[in-house]
Amino acid sequence: MSLPVRPAYDLVVVGSGPTGSTYVREVYDHHPTARVLLLDAGPRLSDPPGLHVKNIQDPAERARAQRASEGPGPAGRPGTRLLGTPELPAAAVSTNVGGMGAHWTGACPRPGDGERIGLIADDELDTHLTRAERLLNVTAHSFDQAPFADEVRRRLSAHFDPGRPAHRRVAPMPLAVTPRPDGAHTWSGTDVVLGAAARDERVEIADLCLCLRVVLDGGTVTGVVVKDLTTGEERGIAARAVVVAADALRTPQLLHASGVRPAALGRYLNDQPQIVHAVRLPDEVVAAHRAVTGRTRDEDGAIVPQSGVSWVPYTDAQPFHGQVMQLDASPVPLADGAGIEPGAVVGLGWFCAKDVKSDDRVEFTDGVTDAHGLPDMRIHYRYTDDDLTTIEQAKKAVTEAGAALGVPLGDAPVLLPAGSSLHYQGTTRMGPADDGTSVCDSHSRVWGTQGLWVAGNNVIPTATACNPTLTSVALAVRGARALLAHLARADERTPVSPA
């Protein structure tokens, strides 16, 4: 990698995960002459850039890509590095081109009830969610042929659906995957989001390129200062607009380092408490399936390499979200599958809506820096009494779901350590006014600045329980509309000068 060669850009995007890549794609599609720089502090893992690691066929090469994403320090889940913070002990990040989009489970449910964002009209939000689904290539039919999937949903529906509106009933989980004719799947990474933009000379992707700060003059963005992590060289790069999409922990860190410090910066940190359990479908169900299909375990493994994923949506009455993943679809090992029919072991993961509080935050200390020279972070986080009540309700719901499905494996449902969800939100949340409770407006423009946007799960202001990526990509689509208008106005003025 070498530092970008162009003297100036219309747009610099810091962070190449799903939302940063969404800004690149939207500007690329709708501004035919825009020059765009996409920065990432991590390495490029693949060609095309941003490929999901599950699509790497060679196991050794896939493991190498995951290790390269972890960076220094203790490893968390494959592809992530633990931050080692006492109050959020499972907090972890990925550092690579594609961000967490190279490692995620691809779950893309739409938010509902209290998860919705009241700042945005429902019809407008739904339009943005539809665009997000297209960018991520989302389908609810990726595992229609998975063994036992219909039976799993039938049993879950019988327990959870009564009294629910149609759009909040048990359903197949919408997933960012493309089914292949051989029964396997291609998982959507940010290569899918970027599309042709990743191969066009108007878009430059710089890996191992750390953004040290955003530069502003009188509150107006003029560019960024970056560091080549291979050579140590630093330089300034001029830009008409900057989007910081560096995740919910490192986005507020970069804003703090840049002197952009709204009162809510880093506050309202939202990690979804996660509860897991596992069951095995009854023997008679497994036997009936085999009698009907004639399939054997090996044949199923070849035809359906990943088993079904089902969804129990959030409701205000039940403020948690169920992700029911059969056997090898689960990213969390829940049971030994040796000698068990694929799909017969079902992992249940329930995510709870957090009682979002200002005091849950990531804090930065001037004069103390991390390994990259950025302000060192400390996380403050705790469960409130309301959180503990919701967690107990979710444990009860998981237990009932397990009983409806089959025979429990292991002990009672387990609350994973805080931070396990990897769904961190809220630290640069949007709001209706610059009143100290938000960092940006409903178009993701940072208060008190011109030309500066933030993106990612950190922009979501509500207490969600569902997987947040689809929502944050939809908000990036909305923000990109405002950014395009900003660039159009800039086009009418004097072109940007070299740094």
Side-chain angles (χ1 to χ4, degrees), residues 180-269:
R180 298 193 333 227
D182 63 357
H185 301 83
T186 300
W187 295 80
S188 295
T190 55
D191 60 321
V192 173
V193 178
L194 288 169
R199 301 182 296 275
D200 194 295
E201 63 179 9
R202 291 195 290 117
V203 176
E204 186 171 352
I205 301 174
D207 68 331
L208 296 172
C209 188
L210 175 71
C211 185
L212 296 174
R213 62 185 178 276
V214 179
V215 181
L216 297 98
D217 182 5
T220 297
V221 161
T222 60
V224 295
V225 175
V226 300
K227 179 178 181 180
D228 183 328
L229 293 180
T230 301
T231 67
E233 179 188 358
E234 296 183 15
R235 67 172 287 191
I237 299 171
R240 286 191 172 109
V242 173
V243 175
V244 182
D247 75 35
L249 302 177
R250 291 175 289 189
T251 291
Q253 181 187 45
L254 181 56
L255 264 59
H256 183 94
S258 305
V260 180
R261 302 177 182 182
L265 186 70
R267 291 185 175 272
Y268 302 98
L269 174 63

Side-chain angles (χ1 to χ4, degrees), residues 119-120 430-432 440-445 447 459 475 478-479:
L119 295 170
I120 304 171
M430 61 174 51
C440 63
D441 67 12
S442 68
H443 296 275
S444 301
R445 298 173 292 206
W447 296 120
V459 172
L475 296 178
R478 176 177 169 83

Side-chain angles (χ1 to χ4, degrees), residues 83 85-89 91 248-250 252-253 256 262-271 354-365 376-384 424-429 436-437 439 458:
L83 295 180
T85 174
E87 296 183 30
L88 207 67
L249 302 177
R250 291 175 289 189
Q253 181 187 45
H256 183 94
L265 186 70
R267 291 185 175 272
Y268 302 98
L269 174 63
N270 174 16
D271 166 62
K354 179 78 172 68
D355 181 18
V356 177
K357 297 293 186 184
S358 172
D359 288 343
D360 292 326
R361 69 192 192 278
V362 54
E363 181 183 34
F364 308 102
T365 304
D376 197 40
M377 64 177 70
R378 179 185 175 189
I379 294 175
H380 303 270
Y381 196 80
R382 70 179 184 88
Y383 290 143
T384 67
Y424 319 131
Q425 301 165 57
T427 53
T428 63
R429 70 203 303 242
T437 65
V439 170
N458 34 286

Side-chain angles (χ1 to χ4, degrees), residues 33-58:
T33 62
R35 300 167 299 170
V36 180
L37 173 63
L38 178 59
L39 303 174
D40 205 289
R44 185 180 301 216
L45 305 177
S46 60
D47 186 20
L51 187 76
H52 198 298
V53 297
K54 285 184 179 180
N55 299 330
I56 300 174
Q57 297 300 308
D58 183 285

Side-chain angles (χ1 to χ4, degrees), residues 99-179:
M100 198 65 78
H103 310 282
W104 67 318
T105 63
C108 288
R110 287 197 175 203
D113 289 6
E115 295 176 310
R116 305 277 292 189
I117 298 168
L119 295 170
I120 304 171
D122 282 343
D123 57 347
E124 184 179 356
L125 180 60
D126 286 334
T127 297
H128 297 326
L129 289 167
T130 297
R131 173 60 176 163
E133 288 166 343
R134 291 173 181 162
L135 287 170
L136 292 164
N137 203 19
V138 174
T139 174
H141 302 289
S142 52
F143 293 121
D144 281 353
Q145 303 304 313
F148 314 114
D150 288 343
E151 179 65 15
V152 167
R153 283 193 282 276
R154 186 189 69 78
R155 289 170 176 248
L156 290 172
S157 295
H159 180 75
F160 288 104
D161 284 355
R164 288 179 174 232
H167 66 287
R168 292 282 97 188
R169 292 176 184 168
V170 172
M173 175 66 79
L175 294 167
V177 300
T178 303

Side-chain angles (χ1 to χ4, degrees), residues 268-294:
Y268 302 98
L269 174 63
N270 174 16
D271 166 62
Q272 298 164 347
Q274 184 179 1
I275 295 150
V276 297
H277 193 32
V279 300
R280 179 175 178 175
L281 295 176
D283 290 341
E284 60 270 20
V285 171
V286 176
H289 166 82
R290 191 180 298 116
V292 169
T293 65

